[in-house]
Amino acid sequence: MEKININDIKTYTKGNIIKNNNQNPITKVSIDSRDINEETLFVPIIGAKFDGHTFMESAYEKGCRNFLEDKNHDFQKEDINIVKVDDTTKAFGQIAKGYKEKFNIPIIAVTGSVGKTSTKDIITSVLKTKYNVTKTQGNHNNEIGLPKTLLTITKKTELAVIEMGMDKKGEIDYLTNLVNPNIGIITNIGMSHIMNFENQEGIFNAKMEIIKGFKNNGLLIVNGDDKYLKTLKKQKHNYELLTYGFNKENDIYCKKYTINENTSNFTCIYQEKEYNFTISSIAKHNIGNALIAIILGLKYKLTPEQIQKGLLEIELSQNRLDIIKTDKYTIINDTYNSSYDSVMSALEVLNNFKTRKVAILGDILELGKYSEQIHKKIGKNINCDVLIAIGNEAKWIYEEANKNIESYYFLTKEEFYKKISTILKKNDTILVKASRGMELDKVVENIRKTR
């Protein structure tokens, strides 16, 4: 972060300086009183379980002298700066927005029901072969995480790739107006968080809020194979639209592909030119995500060789189709999160392997009234040698799959642990996937330790 001062904070937040007792530079903005130094602005966020204002004294004791504070609190110290605001969470976003505007750099925003993080990682890997790129770390894609990313931009940054998540209407609208992207990307319209929406069309409309913050009309890149997003091609827009996918009606499309042991080779067509690339992923959906990176690479004047280099150097965020090899098993760790679409994509990856294929699937959360329908749909369409279902909702996967394949059901992880040695066999390839709240990453660790 580059240096700013308390007057900048006042300007960004439109707050009031009620104490102005030093001119310390601000080189860090933190919402964590444990992560503080003398040049930090401490922002006390009010969360569901805590009020950050209760940690202002602790931050002060660690040397912090710059504070944000909401209208309902009154922190009294003589040698500090305080900017008073109505809402510290919203002010945190406004600080990030104001700070970001100091830098005239292109910003690419990525959203979608599934694949946001992998897409962000692939785009960044390609663009950084030529540019200094700031990107969202992990999944810091909400009203707290996104400002943190914007505040890591420096004068060395040439491009930024920002992930935007949502679980209800209006969240993308809020985030995109902090980011003001030059380019927006929507990977797909799935069923994630559908309990907060009436239907998938509601999710589509919420994702389309991304265009509200566009800078200079902007470019929107969408998955043209998606039944909702492909309808955009028939409409008129005040922004540029490009589509990608496997159907040749898209602006860039994958003509053919081959999945190997650790990589995938594919041929794509863009602007009447044919390109051949290799990506260090065995997931078909990451070939689709790579098409976005190719569009952006060519837009920002990368050579095909630079694009190829980036596609081979991808570092995907943790617990997303990580391949782990032990003495006994090959484990595909995809425990970060789950949805119908991502389960089916992960099963495609599993089926690339030649050994006995075992799918350990847990509950998909936040589906509301659609939960039984979606879990049963997975069970009907699953294609592997053995299914192990874990959790309350996963029983519906088991009930359908058990009609066709060898299947086991456990209510808890602990019940499954007792049976590991009787179900799993040496040389099995094992996919482990569920919503993050199911904590199936613990199952992965347990299997790794199995002797």
Side-chain angles (χ1 to χ4, degrees):
M1 181 178 177
E2 305 294 338
K3 288 182 181 180
I4 55 177
N5 58 48
I6 201 68
N7 291 314
D8 293 322
I9 300 301
K10 176 184 184 298
T11 299
Y12 299 156
T13 63
K14 298 182 172 60
N16 296 311
I17 296 179
I18 60 169
K19 288 183 180 293
N20 191 0
N21 293 313
N22 66 69
Q23 295 302 312
N24 292 350
I26 296 170
T27 59
K28 185 176 186 177
V29 179
S30 178
I31 64 171
D32 186 347
S33 62
R34 299 165 298 182
D35 183 26
I36 292 291
N37 61 40
E38 293 180 357
E39 295 185 350
T40 300
L41 172 74
F42 178 59
V43 180
I45 300 295
I46 299 177
K49 298 181 180 179
F50 63 87
D51 182 346
H53 291 83
T54 62
F55 300 103
M56 292 176 75
E57 182 71 38
S58 174
Y60 177 82
E61 290 173 358
K62 290 182 173 67
C64 182
R65 294 297 182 266
N66 296 293
F67 296 88
L68 220 59
E69 181 180 68
D70 80 5
K71 58 187 178 182
N72 298 316
H73 293 80
D74 186 21
F75 186 58
Q76 292 290 337
K77 297 291 180 183
E78 290 304 317
D79 58 339
I80 62 175
N81 299 327
I82 291 185
V83 175
K84 182 83 80 171
V85 297
D86 289 339
D87 183 316
T88 52
T89 299
K90 290 183 179 177
F92 184 44
Q94 291 305 312
I95 291 167
K97 177 182 173 74
Y99 174 78
K100 172 262 305 179
E101 289 175 353
K102 291 165 57 75
F103 307 92
N104 184 27
I105 59 169
I107 298 182
I108 300 160
V110 183
T111 192
S113 295
V114 180
K116 297 181 292 294
T117 304
S118 298
T119 300
K120 170 208 67 183
D121 291 337
I122 293 169
I123 291 169
T124 300
S125 185
V126 167
L127 294 178
K128 75 177 184 181
T129 62
K130 183 175 181 179
Y131 299 100
N132 186 305
V133 181
T134 292
K135 74 165 182 174
T136 300
Q137 296 301 311
N139 71 315
H140 292 169
N141 60 21
N142 61 11
E143 63 180 354
I144 302 299
L146 185 145
K148 287 182 180 180
T149 300
L150 294 180
L151 289 165
T152 63
I153 293 172
T154 71
K155 59 187 177 183
K156 293 181 179 180
T157 302
E158 297 172 288
L159 284 162
V161 184
I162 308 296
E163 181 179 334
M164 299 196 306
M166 66 158 218
D167 58 23
K168 56 183 177 291
K169 181 180 179 181
E171 287 187 309
I172 296 296
D173 188 5
Y174 175 76
L175 297 176
T176 193
N177 279 293
L178 297 184
V179 174
N180 299 121
N182 303 81
I183 298 172
I185 294 161
I186 306 178
T187 59
N188 48 46
I189 306 299
M191 301 285 279
S192 301
H193 310 294
I194 197 165
M195 66 182 294
N196 298 327
F197 297 88
E198 186 175 341
N199 49 37
Q200 265 185 287
E201 188 173 352
I203 296 174
F204 168 62
N205 292 331
K207 292 296 185 185
M208 284 300 297
E209 292 170 4
I210 195 170
I211 66 174
K212 295 183 179 180
F214 268 172
K215 193 172 185 178
N216 302 324
N217 297 326
L219 165 64
L220 182 65
I221 303 173
V222 303
N223 181 347
D225 295 344
D226 182 277
K227 71 176 183 177
Y228 291 95
L229 294 169
K230 70 181 180 182
T231 63
L232 295 174
K233 292 207 77 169
K234 301 175 183 178
Q235 303 172 17
K236 291 184 178 180
H237 313 285
N238 59 0
Y239 54 85
E240 183 183 358
L241 177 72
L242 290 175
T243 63
Y244 70 92
F246 290 82
N247 296 325
K248 64 182 181 180
E249 293 79 13
N250 291 302
D251 295 295
I252 184 171
Y253 67 95
C254 176
K255 182 180 177 182
K256 59 182 179 180
Y257 66 93
T258 304
I259 294 177
N260 311 307
E261 184 176 351
N262 298 304
T263 61
S264 301
N265 303 326
F266 65 97
T267 300
C268 63
I269 308 295
Y270 182 52
Q271 295 179 338
E272 299 182 348
K273 291 184 180 179
E274 185 171 290
Y275 299 90
N276 295 298
F277 291 107
T278 301
I279 182 172
S280 58
S281 171
I282 58 172
K284 179 184 175 183
H285 62 264
N286 278 336
I287 296 174
N289 296 337
L291 298 177
I292 307 169
I294 293 165
I295 291 175
L296 295 173
L298 295 172
K299 176 178 175 60
Y300 288 110
K301 311 301 182 185
L302 272 68
T303 64
E305 291 74 22
Q306 288 171 315
I307 294 171
Q308 177 60 88
K309 183 174 186 290
L311 292 177
L312 288 174
E313 295 178 349
I314 296 165
E315 296 179 3
L316 296 177
S317 297
Q318 197 171 21
N319 296 344
R320 292 168 174 84
L321 294 174
D322 295 343
I323 308 296
I324 302 166
K325 292 187 179 293
T326 73
D327 293 340
K328 293 186 70 174
Y329 312 117
T330 297
I331 306 167
I332 306 172
N333 180 4
D334 199 21
T335 56
Y336 180 75
N337 223 332
S338 191
S339 67
Y340 173 79
D341 297 299
S342 65
V343 168
M344 300 316 293
S345 292
L347 287 167
E348 278 192 33
V349 173
L350 176 64
N351 279 295
N352 291 329
F353 290 81
K354 307 300 183 187
T355 56
R356 193 176 80 135
K357 294 171 273 291
V358 179
I360 302 178
L361 302 181
D363 295 354
I364 303 174
L365 305 177
E366 298 183 339
L367 294 177
K369 65 182 181 181
Y370 295 94
S371 185
E372 181 176 354
Q373 171 190 336
I374 290 173
H375 285 90
K376 284 187 172 181
K377 187 176 180 182
I378 291 170
K380 289 176 182 176
N381 293 305
I382 196 168
N383 180 21
C384 61
D385 298 308
V386 179
L387 166 72
I388 299 167
I390 300 174
N392 286 306
E393 314 294 293
K395 68 178 179 292
W396 288 313
I397 302 177
Y398 165 78
E399 287 174 1
E400 294 297 329
N402 193 43
K403 300 171 185 177
N404 301 304
I405 62 174
E406 181 183 344
S407 300
Y408 302 87
Y409 172 70
F410 303 96
L411 181 61
T412 68
K413 298 185 286 290
E414 290 71 24
E415 291 176 9
F416 166 62
Y417 296 156
K418 297 174 184 177
K419 299 291 185 179
I420 284 180
S421 60
T422 62
I423 300 174
L424 300 182
K425 297 181 180 179
K426 189 173 182 180
N427 298 322
D428 279 351
T429 300
I430 307 160
L431 166 69
V432 187
K433 187 165 182 63
S435 285
R436 193 175 1 167
M438 294 298 293
E439 298 183 335
L440 288 203
D441 54 315
K442 295 178 180 178
V443 171
V444 172
E445 289 308 309
N446 201 293
I447 294 173
R448 289 180 73 167
K449 294 174 184 176
T450 302
R451 294 289 179 243

